[in-house]
Amino acid sequence: MIRLEMLGKDGEVVPLFYDQHTSRLLDKDGFQAVDYTNNPFYDQEPGQARPFIAVDYDQPGRKVREITKLKIQLGLGCNYSCAYCLQALQVQKAAASSTRDASEFIANIDNWVASPEGMQKVELWGGEPLLYWKKIEILVPALKEKFPNARFSIITNGSLFTREIIDQLKAWDFSVTMSHDGPGHSIRGEDPFEDPAKFALIQYAQKTFHPRFSFNAVLTPKSHDVNAVIDWFQDYFPGCNVGFEGVVHSYASDPSSIFSIEQLNAFSDVLSRQLADGSALRSPMLMQKLQRAVKSIVNQHSSEALFQKCGMDMPEYLAVDLKGNVMTCQNVGANGNHKIGHVDDFENIALNTSKHWSKRPECQSCPVLQLCQGACMYQGGDNWTHSCNAEFAYNLAFFRAALFVLTGRWLLGFSGDIIRPKLKKDRDVEVR
């Protein structure tokens, strides 16, 4: 159990106790700290929880042909070079493909998708996916016909929009997300908002797809005040949907992706207050994440049903390129160690590149396990430590705000058998 020091409005500090594996919140006498039965998020008839699959390098995960989410990697080429890009190290490892490959992909898809009606979502990914528009024109009409119940989406940097592309994506009933860091966009490179012709097309896209259009920002050391990001976008597009891809992860130890511990502490404190006072909840994505934090405690969610944050350890989620190569996720190339199989040999696909949170002692002891869900499942070493620290600070804000919503008390601190990862250089110091 984790001991929480909770400050009340009367200035009294009382202890509460939280079990991150059962989501139980107890008082000092061991009784449930809050009556949840009248809470709007209380589930009167909870369904059977589906247990996670503890994938590891020597315990590979499998994939099933009853796919519900299909992530199609068109290629990792991009016309931008974002400083913190998680795909940057993978670009040379992506399998090159052609429009002929797109046609063959469609011709073969019935051989490895067992239940077309069960497909819930199809996502098109780059790099920058609009670089591959000729392939998209081949793929989408056939995919729409094969998967009549699926929702289709695409994430783009918005710099390659044309009216024809926008109109066609609208005709195909796509949801569109534009990646842009608002006031912190300079570390991504050229800003399409500053180009009048490109900005006019972004305006057209936002109007055309609304409300199924959102701007998604990454929170970085340069820009991590969510209210400042929301305000920045809404100065251009009042009432627009501002989302967040979350807090930046470190994949290449780039300085733009690494917060100091002092920055993380300040970031977490500010964000928790913005969530608690409601100012950050103008972002539907942040609202949903806070609701999930509340629901976890109210319904006492078990960690036994907790898959990874990305969901790519789930058997029915598949990331595939146009050559039929299956990868760990859509952000890696098939010509490296992240190729986990091929659709022509489906039964031998093996997710042996990743580590489930239950295999990491840091995750098992973490107060925000229910919200973080182990961060990136294939990271390791110091990059994982940096990313873990960032995710911890980010999710702690939601945990603190959820506790405030439920108890009216403010989390001052916590203690218990909590393991935090250390950088290799810090571990070396400890050894000496």
Side-chain angles (χ1 to χ4, degrees), residues 25 110 197 407:
L25 185 64
D110 289 338
T407 70

Side-chain angles (χ1 to χ4, degrees), residues 63-328:
K63 297 296 177 178
V64 297
R65 295 175 184 268
E66 291 76 19
I67 302 163
T68 61
K69 181 181 285 189
L70 182 63
K71 299 188 176 194
I72 301 175
Q73 185 202 88
L74 303 169
L76 293 180
C78 188
N79 60 326
Y80 277 12
S81 55
C82 303
Y84 57 76
C85 180
L86 73 165
Q87 297 178 341
L89 298 177
Q90 296 288 325
V91 172
Q92 302 305 318
K93 299 176 182 178
S97 62
S98 64
T99 52
R100 179 176 179 178
D101 291 313
S103 297
E104 291 180 356
F105 181 89
I106 293 298
N108 293 333
I109 200 167
D110 289 338
N111 296 328
W112 49 272
V113 177
S115 178
E117 295 78 13
M119 186 72 73
Q120 297 173 10
K121 191 166 187 184
V122 176
E123 301 174 356
L124 301 185
W125 287 86
E128 168 49 49
L130 296 186
L131 282 173
Y132 305 100
W133 183 249
K134 294 294 185 184
K135 298 175 186 177
I136 292 173
E137 288 182 307
I138 294 170
L139 291 168
V140 174
L143 292 171
K144 294 285 290 185
E145 184 176 348
K146 287 181 182 294
F147 306 130
N149 300 321
R151 293 171 289 121
F152 283 71
S153 68
I154 194 167
I155 297 178
T156 172
N157 62 34
S159 64
L160 300 179
F161 278 141
T162 66
R163 288 184 73 95
E164 291 74 20
I165 286 174
I166 294 166
D167 289 343
Q168 185 60 75
L169 289 172
K170 177 64 175 178
W172 287 329
D173 197 28
F174 265 70
S175 295
V176 176
T177 299
M178 179 176 167
S179 291
H180 192 290
D181 286 352
H185 193 78
S186 61
I187 61 174
R188 284 183 178 257
E190 176 190 352
D191 186 350
F193 274 55
E194 295 178 358
D195 181 313
K198 291 179 179 178
F199 183 69
L201 287 165
I202 294 168
Q203 288 179 304
Y204 181 64
Q206 198 275 337
K207 180 179 179 181
T208 298
F209 292 103
H210 185 78
R212 297 176 63 190
F213 182 96
S214 68
F215 297 103
N216 268 21
V218 176
L219 299 170
T220 68
K222 181 181 177 64
S223 174
H224 49 268
D225 183 325
V226 300
N227 277 348
V229 174
I230 295 169
D231 290 342
W232 191 93
F233 282 109
Q234 294 203 346
D235 281 346
Y236 287 98
F237 298 97
C240 68
N241 184 354
V242 181
F244 293 88
E245 294 175 34
V247 65
V248 68
H249 281 196
S250 172
Y251 284 87
S253 299
D254 185 274
S256 66
S257 67
I258 299 175
F259 289 83
S260 70
I261 296 301
E262 293 74 22
Q263 281 180 311
L264 289 174
N265 289 338
F267 161 53
S268 186
D269 182 66
V270 170
L271 177 56
S272 62
R273 297 179 189 281
Q274 292 170 331
L275 293 167
D277 68 21
S279 58
L281 303 183
R282 295 173 292 160
S283 166
M285 191 174 292
L286 298 183
M287 168 71 88
Q288 291 165 11
K289 187 171 176 66
L290 178 57
Q291 289 175 344
R292 188 162 70 83
V294 172
K295 288 178 182 178
S296 173
I297 299 173
V298 167
N299 294 299
Q300 299 184 0
H301 288 170
S302 170
S303 65
E304 293 181 0
L306 207 59
F307 284 79
Q308 286 292 132
K309 172 188 174 184
C310 64
M312 292 308 294
D313 55 331
M314 299 177 73
E316 66 272 26
Y317 284 17
L318 196 77
V320 62
D321 67 17
L322 295 182
K323 294 284 191 180
N325 298 306
V326 180
M327 293 87 65
T328 304

Side-chain angles (χ1 to χ4, degrees), residues 370-415:
Q370 293 280 345
L371 299 174
C372 176
Q373 296 177 251
C376 179
M377 66 184 185
Y378 75 75
Q379 276 190 305
D382 282 355
N383 281 324
W384 188 82
T385 299
H386 286 305
S387 299
C388 176
N389 286 337
E391 286 283 352
F392 180 79
Y394 179 58
N395 286 287
L396 183 60
F398 290 89
F399 183 57
R400 181 180 281 121
L403 290 171
F404 179 72
V405 168
L406 290 169
T407 70
R409 293 180 175 274
W410 195 250
L411 175 64
L412 295 178
F414 49 85
S415 58

